[in-house]
Amino acid sequence: MNKETVEFVDREFLADGDYVSPGFEVIKPDKCFPNMVVADPSACTWPYIRSTIPHNWYADKRQPFAGFVSRDEAHILYNTALKFRGKRALEIGCWYGWSACHLALAGVELDVIDPRLAEADVYESVTDSLQSAGVLDTVNLISGYSPEKVEELAEKLQCKWSLFFIDGSHDAPCPLNDAIICEQLAETDALILFHDLNSPDVAQGLDYLRQKGWKTMIYQTMQIMGVAWRGNIEPVQHQPDPKVNWYLPEHLQNYSVSELSIDVVNEFLEILAAVRPYTLLGEIRLFSLYSLAKKICLEDIPGNFVECGSYKGGAAALLASVIKRYSLRPRRLYACDTFEGMPEPTEVDISNGISANLTGFGVGTLKAPIRENIQSICQLLKVQDIVVPVKGLFAQTLPQYKSEIGNIAFLHADGDWYESTMDIFNTLYDSIVPNGMIQVDDYGHWDGCKKALHDFERLRGEQFNLRRIDYTGVWFQKGEKQLLN
């Protein structure tokens, strides 16, 4: 990713007319698309354009009659693709590369098929944008028509794909044929996204997958997106813009719609605004913590909460806020950290082939004195009576506090390093009650964390049913035994 042209932004800095669902990481690669403009959807002659939806309709000013996916739709793509980092993804139909850029920025190995890539000016424009975003090396651009070119590519590469985005020809039978070939070439754990489901022809593809036994759902967006998935993977949760009077066309009336309650959204955003300066966790992982913690409280799973790796205390305060609002029994949250910086990593603690001490997050970094940080945010949210800061190395403090902590309903393991993660699980795992929740923050980022989790699995003879949150975070429930592929 080119940080000079791709920005991570807070949603309050989005332009008027843009919307992104709460619980999503927000990025803006707009600088990589110098010809992108806000166009008038009523000028589009396609009969299924939803021109009455008051969201910005982006287009390329050189051909403004066809739009890009909206800001919200682009973030469904990006946040979904975060779950598939390092895996193969296939996009059918990329136009000028706006959607491909969002997919590639999430870290997938992306193959793109579009007949317009045979046009020199289009190919140059797409490659320039992807190069500007710093993702061109991870994208394979192929000129051709689906489904023939998809089948040819699969044979050539001897591969299947885990993630698909179907946004090619919208005229029957093309969407159905695209769905059929993607279903044939999908991995066991796979997810397929559709754009422009306002068209009945496009919906034929989603209908087919549902008939084949895939789980399906609708995202209420400007042009309506759909998702089909199977295996050990889950789609992102999406909240439609509450300011819009949404409707579904008749051919989609029997589909469920991803929709969080407004109360949930407002509550999460309120807590998020308070804790944001006190945490490095992205919004999608914070929303996972919020959701899992609320589930534990409402289901009255017994036990305290433990966070190992608290830094400034934002995530701990978020969890404590959920306890305060929803717990049916007294609970405490034990926030464990050195609060004096990261301990020394080992040789297995690397990220993208770079040793931890060379990444800028090595020994001594992330120092966060208790008084100025975790105590401050806990006082702000009035949860200081729930949170117990535990200062010191996990190897020393966790055995000392294990008896006081007692049963654990929720464990947030954010130890980064191999030895820290092993200390967490070796000491606390047996205290986690059946059906207790565990969220691990650094599984996908630090090799040592991933190795520790799987080493512990082998040590205990278990297989954890890991569910991906984004590129690095995973969660599982104690008692489920299925290995993440």
Side-chain angles (χ1 to χ4, degrees):
M1 179 186 299
N2 187 338
K3 294 182 179 179
E4 294 181 359
T5 53
V6 179
E7 304 172 275
F8 286 89
V9 299
D10 292 329
R11 64 186 62 255
E12 57 262 34
F13 295 113
L14 293 173
D16 291 342
D18 279 346
Y19 171 82
V20 174
S21 173
F24 281 4
E25 298 291 334
V26 184
I27 58 171
K28 282 191 71 176
D30 297 36
K31 294 178 182 178
C32 306
F33 293 84
N35 293 303
M36 187 175 75
V37 296
V38 177
D40 180 4
S42 64
C44 177
T45 59
W46 191 53
Y48 298 105
I49 191 75
R50 300 222 291 183
S51 57
T52 60
I53 303 299
H55 285 174
N56 289 330
W57 190 67
Y58 290 101
D60 190 288
K61 64 184 180 183
R62 294 165 294 186
Q63 293 183 301
F65 54 84
F68 299 161
V69 295
S70 70
R71 185 76 66 183
D72 194 26
E73 292 163 344
H75 281 82
I76 290 175
L77 293 178
Y78 175 71
N79 283 269
T80 299
L82 284 174
K83 297 173 177 282
F84 293 90
R85 186 179 186 181
K87 295 184 180 294
R88 296 201 76 100
L90 174 67
E91 179 180 40
I92 299 174
C94 75
W95 196 231
Y96 277 102
W98 175 248
S99 53
C101 185
H102 283 81
L103 290 166
L105 283 168
V108 296
E109 297 179 17
L110 182 62
D111 297 304
V112 178
I113 293 175
D114 192 313
R116 295 187 71 251
L117 291 170
E119 303 171 26
D121 59 333
V122 173
Y123 184 86
E124 182 180 0
S125 180
V126 173
T127 54
D128 285 350
S129 292
L130 297 178
Q131 181 68 51
S132 177
V135 295
L136 182 59
D137 291 344
T138 64
V139 181
N140 179 25
L141 298 172
I142 302 138
S143 169
Y145 290 88
S146 174
E148 295 81 10
K149 186 60 71 171
V150 176
E151 192 169 18
E152 177 186 318
L153 182 62
E155 178 65 26
K156 177 182 177 181
L157 300 178
Q158 288 295 295
C159 75
K160 291 186 174 183
W161 290 273
S162 298
L163 174 64
F164 301 81
F165 179 45
I166 297 177
D167 194 20
S169 173
H170 293 352
D171 298 328
C174 294
L176 174 59
N177 290 337
D178 288 342
I180 291 172
I181 192 64
C182 290
E183 200 266 343
Q184 293 173 0
L185 295 171
E187 295 281 8
T188 303
D189 299 331
L191 186 147
I192 302 175
L193 287 163
F194 291 81
H195 188 232
D196 286 313
L197 282 174
N198 197 42
S199 162
D201 286 357
V202 177
Q204 289 179 11
L206 190 63
D207 293 342
Y208 168 80
L209 291 171
R210 183 169 61 176
Q211 293 166 8
K212 295 289 286 185
W214 291 58
K215 299 175 183 178
T216 54
M217 185 171 65
I218 296 295
Y219 293 122
Q220 265 286 25
T221 61
M222 186 172 186
Q223 282 304 115
I224 309 179
M225 293 184 71
V227 59
W229 70 99
R230 71 180 185 192
N232 190 31
I233 192 68
E234 295 179 352
V236 296
Q237 298 181 67
H238 174 265
Q239 167 59 43
D241 187 347
K243 297 178 181 178
V244 175
N245 185 22
W246 294 102
Y247 64 91
L248 277 181
E250 184 177 353
H251 64 274
L252 297 177
Q253 290 289 333
N254 58 353
Y255 279 98
S256 63
V257 176
S258 178
E259 187 169 8
L260 304 168
S261 76
I262 298 300
D263 289 341
V264 166
V265 169
N266 290 339
E267 181 176 79
F268 171 70
L269 291 178
E270 173 193 338
I271 299 172
L272 176 67
V275 305
R276 170 49 68 209
Y278 295 89
T279 179
L280 294 176
L281 270 65
E283 187 170 327
I284 192 169
R285 274 170 278 153
L286 290 170
F287 185 71
S288 177
L289 289 177
Y290 168 85
S291 301
L292 294 176
K294 187 174 178 180
K295 179 179 175 67
I296 288 168
C297 291
L298 294 178
E299 294 182 0
D300 200 25
I301 297 174
N304 287 312
F305 285 28
V306 180
E307 179 176 68
C308 295
S310 292
Y311 185 43
K312 292 184 176 182
L318 179 149
L319 291 170
S321 293
V322 176
I323 292 173
K324 181 179 179 180
R325 298 177 192 217
Y326 293 103
S327 184
L328 303 178
R329 64 177 68 213
R331 302 181 196 263
R332 283 188 164 186
L333 183 140
Y334 290 82
C336 309
D337 200 294
T338 68
F339 298 107
E340 293 183 347
M342 297 291 290
E344 187 71 53
T346 66
E347 66 277 359
V348 299
D349 296 312
I350 60 177
S351 178
N352 294 320
I354 303 172
S355 62
N357 280 336
L358 298 179
T359 64
F361 289 96
V363 62
T365 62
L366 305 183
K367 184 176 181 180
I370 291 174
R371 185 178 298 275
E372 294 88 3
N373 295 284
I374 191 169
Q375 283 188 354
S376 177
I377 182 58
C378 287
Q379 288 170 2
L380 178 65
L381 291 178
K382 297 181 172 57
V383 294
Q384 62 269 30
D385 57 328
I386 296 174
V387 177
V388 181
V390 178
K391 182 178 180 180
L393 295 170
F394 299 154
Q396 299 168 2
T397 59
L398 297 183
Q400 294 172 7
Y401 275 81
K402 181 178 180 180
S403 177
E404 177 181 329
I405 292 170
N407 289 335
I408 298 172
F410 187 57
L411 171 66
H412 181 212
D414 189 4
D416 293 38
W417 308 153
Y418 176 88
E419 290 183 350
S420 298
T421 304
M422 286 298 287
D423 288 336
I424 294 168
F425 280 90
N426 280 328
T427 309
L428 299 180
Y429 185 72
D430 287 336
S431 298
I432 301 172
V433 300
N435 298 317
M437 304 288 189
I438 302 99
Q439 181 163 321
V440 183
D441 187 67
D442 299 296
Y443 177 89
H445 187 78
W446 293 112
D447 292 1
C449 177
K450 175 184 272 189
K451 175 175 168 55
L453 193 58
H454 291 307
D455 282 355
F456 183 78
E457 277 184 316
R458 287 187 286 271
L459 182 68
R460 300 300 296 263
E462 297 189 39
Q463 289 185 317
F464 301 144
N465 186 20
L466 303 181
R467 294 175 171 87
R468 290 190 183 273
I469 302 165
D470 59 4
Y471 85 95
T472 187
V474 296
W475 70 270
F476 64 101
Q477 190 165 22
K478 189 173 183 180
E480 293 182 328
K481 297 180 174 67
Q482 182 179 344
L483 184 65
L484 178 73
N485 292 324

